[in-house]
Amino acid sequence: MSSEQTPTTPEPTGPRPRRLTYAALLAALEGLALVVGGVWMLVLALTGEPDNRQQAVTGGVTLVVLALLPLLAARGLLGRRSWSRGPAVITQLMALPVAYNLLQADSMAIPAGIALAVVAVAALVLLVNPETTRALGIRGPGNVQK
């Protein structure tokens, strides 16, 4: 057995940058919107007359489960956990095609598509910002600590 310890990433110190806080708030906002949408679909499926009740329930449950990704990412970002940036970025990348589809509709979905696109792009900009990266303790390739 080796007496070598696994190197740990030092915890970032200092106050949390505002950009990181804003990115976490945007991720949490998306997660809450997914929960609200999922619960709304479930309520309509159970109390209304959907074309296909099973499909409506499945859609509602799916939205609620999908909400876990941005909500966990937001919690991790607030806690300055380096792992949290990946799920937060994935959430934003998944939101962009959804926003595009909403923008293609001829209905009240267009404002929702605009809002979702703005939130996703803003969150992506905040997440890839160097200040955010440093605050999360993420090092680029080749910046190995010795």
Side-chain angles (χ1 to χ4, degrees):
M1 277 208 239
S2 172
S3 62
E4 231 177 272
Q5 294 286 331
T6 304
T8 59
T9 305
E11 289 294 318
T13 57
R16 182 176 49 242
R18 284 188 307 186
R19 288 183 174 111
L20 184 58
T21 303
Y22 295 153
L25 291 175
L26 289 175
L29 177 68
E30 288 173 326
L32 290 174
L34 284 169
V35 168
V36 169
V39 169
W40 179 256
M41 283 180 71
L42 285 170
V43 167
L44 288 179
L46 298 175
T47 62
E49 295 293 325
D51 292 337
N52 185 338
R53 188 175 309 275
Q54 182 180 2
Q55 188 176 12
V57 170
T58 302
V61 170
T62 300
L63 285 181
V64 172
V65 170
L66 281 175
L68 293 175
L69 184 65
L71 291 173
L72 289 173
R75 184 168 186 231
L77 289 170
L78 287 175
R80 295 173 77 167
R81 305 286 187 250
S82 61
W83 60 262
S84 62
R85 189 173 81 159
V89 168
I90 289 169
T91 299
Q92 306 321 313
L93 293 176
M94 289 186 331
L96 290 174
V98 173
Y100 179 79
N101 283 334
L102 290 173
L103 290 171
Q104 300 304 308
D106 290 331
S107 67
M108 293 296 293
I110 292 173
I114 292 169
L116 182 58
V118 168
V119 167
V121 170
L124 278 172
V125 168
L126 291 169
L127 288 166
V128 299
N129 186 282
E131 184 180 340
T132 301
T133 303
R134 279 190 301 276
L136 293 173
I138 298 172
R139 297 182 306 276
N143 293 334
V144 178
Q145 213 175 22
K146 294 184 181 188

